[in-house]
């Protein structure tokens, strides 16, 4: 069935569609008719525009929403730098060609929330120039404080839960995001993260410093397939009437954290309309496409979301998944092949196993990760290769109960000090265990190669 059967049941309503122009009101007649900013908006609300692109961006790229709220966002004292400096220096990355793999990252203590539990593992570019991306691990041991909100001015955040569901309240409304779902929270949108049923949460995230995510072009595939637009879900309006209570608002700005305290809730949006909003997606609905004759296609065929660069066909970030799927290729090595790539590949495992890497201690397991940087060779480990090389080729469903994913980028990715050393999760013997023992199957001809020489 192309829908994930979640153990935690859905509790919110949503609006379907990707990059759709939507509208929602929690109170009838809160949205003005026809115009955006009347002299006196309905119900005594303030009209506030939230722009995700320049005003003059082409119509097909333009991102903006109108929010109708009890008090405007600017109603707060100045921001101050947090007393605790950022853990990760985004301008001090280690660029190395080595293949890297991490054991599962630790769960956080009970005093760590979603924001304080975010650690930059790798990245490239500069958010002040709106170029590049950051790859994160998060681990939360508690919900954010009841009167606390967060937003990033640096980029859109793609969240990939691995353990523990997240209850995310945004300015536009609530989302429940469970493992095997993803969500995207746009640059500037305030939100608060709660843990569900008291369970600690761990997962992965990608912050996109430039542009926004789109659905990949389908080309000859046709008009449907991969992630279909109708399966994405956006929240419906939900607000609190809270004026007088002190709220702490934290922002990430140029890689550093700042805070302010205001006497009203940031979640006071009674109605909104536009195409700039948070959304979520059930990975179980992905329409996987592959070869039904021979050879394993390029993994780009598994792309869920893409963030294009200025070069057509090349992405600053692709979000790719490897879900359960049928393999039927004849006379074909069915796992992903050995590869050197001009793109960087950061992989994580949400659940189950991965058909090209062994699991267990020292292997590729849920909650861990790997990074194969630009032109660093990678592929199946020895045991996976030998198994696939000698297996009987019959129709086979792989990945049942499993889902791996990849953040792929055209950029050369640097690794933070936290990712290399502080986390203490790097598998030092990754290369040795994976590839130093690969066998030589070359049969040889017994003849000296001379075909490259001119005769005479």
């Amino acid at each position: 069935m192309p829908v994930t059967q979640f153990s935690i049941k859905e509790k919110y309503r949503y609006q379907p569609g990707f990059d759709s122009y939507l509208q929602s009101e929690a109170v009838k007649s809160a949205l003005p008719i026809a115009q955006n900013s009347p002299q006196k908006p309905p119900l005594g609300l303030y009209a506030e525009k939230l722009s995700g692109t320049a005003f003059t961006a082409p119509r097909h790229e333009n991102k903006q929403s109108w929010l109708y709220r009890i008090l405007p966002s600017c109603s707060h004292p100045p921001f101050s730098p947090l007393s605790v400096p950022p853990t990760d220096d985004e301008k001090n990355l280690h660029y190395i060609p080595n293949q890297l793999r991490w054991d599962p990252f630790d769960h956080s203590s009970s005093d760590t929330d979603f924001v304080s539990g975010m650690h930059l593992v790798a990245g490239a570019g500069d958010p002040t120039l709106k170029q590049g991306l950051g790859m994160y691990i998060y681990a939360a041991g508690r919900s954010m404080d009841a009167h606390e909100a967060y937003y990033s001015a640096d980029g859109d955040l793609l969240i990939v839960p691995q353990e523990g569901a997240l209850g995310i309240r945004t300015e536009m409304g609530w989302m429940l995001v469970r493992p095997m779902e993803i969500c995207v929270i746009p640059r500037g949108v305030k939100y608060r993260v709660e843990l569900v049923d008291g369970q600690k949460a761990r997962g992965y995230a990608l912050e996109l410093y430039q542009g926004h995510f789109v659905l990949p072009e389908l080309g000859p595939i046709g008009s449907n397939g991969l992630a279909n637009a109708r399966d994405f879900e956006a929240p419906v309006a939900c607000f609190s009437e809270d004026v007088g209570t002190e709220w702490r608002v934290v922002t990430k700005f140029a890689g550093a954290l700042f805070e302010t305290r205001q006497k009203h809730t940031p979640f006071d949006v009674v109605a909104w309309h536009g195409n700039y909003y948070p959304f979520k997606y059930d990975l179980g609905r992905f329409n996987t496409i592959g070869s039904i004759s021979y050879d394993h296609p390029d993994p780009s065929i598994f792309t869920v979301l893409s963030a294009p660069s200025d070069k057509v066909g090349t992405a600053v970030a692709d979000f790719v998944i490897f879900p359960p799927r049928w393999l039927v290729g004849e006379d074909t090595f069915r796992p992903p092949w050995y590869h050197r790539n001009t793109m960087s590949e950061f992989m994580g495992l949400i659940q189950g196993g991965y058909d090209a890497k062994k699991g267990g201690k020292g292997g590729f397991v849920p909650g861990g990760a790997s990074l194969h940087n630009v032109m660093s060779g990678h592929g199946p480990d020895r045991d996976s290769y030998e198994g696939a090389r000698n297996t009987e080729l019959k129709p086979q469903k792989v990945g049942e109960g499993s889902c791996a994913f990849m953040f792929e980028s055209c950029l050369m990715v640097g690794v933070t000090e936290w990712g290399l050393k502080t986390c203490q999760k790097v598998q030092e013997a990754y290369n040795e265990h994976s590839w130093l023992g690969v066998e030589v199957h070359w049969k040889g001809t017994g003849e000296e190669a001379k075909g490259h020489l001119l005769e005479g």
Side-chain angles (χ1 to χ4, degrees), residues 9 294 423:
K9 300 302 181 184
Y294 62 87
C423 71

Side-chain angles (χ1 to χ4, degrees), residues 6-276:
F6 295 103
S7 59
I8 299 175
K9 300 302 181 184
E10 183 59 75
K11 57 192 297 187
Y12 302 117
R13 292 174 48 242
Y14 300 93
Q15 303 179 84
F18 183 89
D19 197 26
S20 303
Y21 201 101
L22 302 177
Q23 65 179 37
S24 180
E25 55 184 11
V27 176
K28 187 177 180 180
S29 301
L31 282 172
I33 297 174
Q35 64 183 129
N36 297 315
S37 185
Q39 183 180 21
K40 293 183 178 180
L43 307 179
L45 298 171
Y46 286 87
E48 178 180 275
K49 186 171 185 175
L50 178 62
S51 294
T53 57
F55 296 143
T56 51
R59 183 180 285 261
H60 69 280
E61 296 178 358
N62 207 293
K63 294 281 190 180
Q64 53 91 30
S65 286
W66 281 91
L67 314 181
Y68 299 92
R69 59 193 319 151
I70 295 173
L71 285 172
S73 294
C74 55
S75 179
H76 63 75
F79 282 93
S80 301
L82 285 175
S83 57
V84 179
T87 302
D88 307 300
D89 182 1
E90 299 189 4
K91 296 182 179 179
N92 187 26
L93 299 173
H94 302 275
Y95 289 88
I96 55 177
N98 295 335
Q99 303 96 330
L100 294 172
R101 188 160 71 189
W102 290 268
D103 286 326
F105 294 92
D106 289 337
H107 285 285
S108 285
S109 62
S110 57
D111 61 351
T112 304
D113 63 18
F114 179 82
V115 176
S116 59
M118 290 269 286
H119 292 285
L120 183 70
V121 177
D126 187 339
T128 67
L129 301 177
K130 294 188 176 179
Q131 295 177 349
L133 78 171
M135 301 170 180
Y136 291 82
I137 296 295
Y138 73 83
R142 67 172 178 86
S143 299
M144 292 174 63
D145 290 340
H147 297 102
E148 184 173 277
Y150 171 80
Y151 75 92
S152 174
D154 289 350
D156 292 4
L157 189 69
L158 166 63
I159 302 173
V160 185
Q162 187 270 318
E163 279 190 359
L166 304 177
I168 304 179
R169 185 175 195 182
T170 76
E171 292 180 86
M172 280 80 163
W174 282 90
M175 297 187 296
L176 175 65
V177 187
R178 301 155 287 189
M180 287 301 294
E181 288 182 307
I182 61 168
C183 74
V184 172
I185 301 180
R187 181 196 306 264
V189 172
K190 296 183 180 73
Y191 62 99
R192 177 179 170 273
V193 178
E194 293 183 352
L195 304 189
V196 177
D197 296 335
Q199 294 184 359
K200 290 186 175 183
R202 179 177 64 186
Y204 313 86
L206 183 146
E207 188 164 40
L208 180 65
Y209 304 151
Q210 66 185 89
H212 303 285
F213 287 104
V214 300
L215 296 180
E217 297 293 341
L218 295 179
I221 292 173
S223 55
N224 297 105
L226 307 185
N228 291 307
R230 65 176 295 217
D231 292 321
F232 289 81
E233 297 177 306
V236 298
C238 173
F239 74 101
S240 294
E241 196 171 347
D242 183 358
V243 177
T245 303
E246 183 176 87
W247 277 76
R248 178 177 183 250
V249 178
V250 176
T251 182
K252 180 171 173 283
F253 193 93
L257 296 179
F258 297 79
E259 69 172 349
T260 188
R261 296 179 184 271
Q262 61 187 47
K263 292 290 188 179
H264 60 98
T265 176
F267 304 115
D268 63 352
V269 177
V270 180
W272 62 270
H273 68 83
N275 64 355
Y276 192 59

Side-chain angles (χ1 to χ4, degrees), residues 396-419:
Q396 174 190 16
K397 190 170 187 180
V398 298
E400 196 73 76
S402 172
C403 189
F405 76 88
M406 179 166 65
F407 297 149
E408 187 176 46
S409 175
C410 66
L411 304 175
M412 187 174 287
V413 172
V415 185
T416 62
E417 188 73 9
W418 187 91

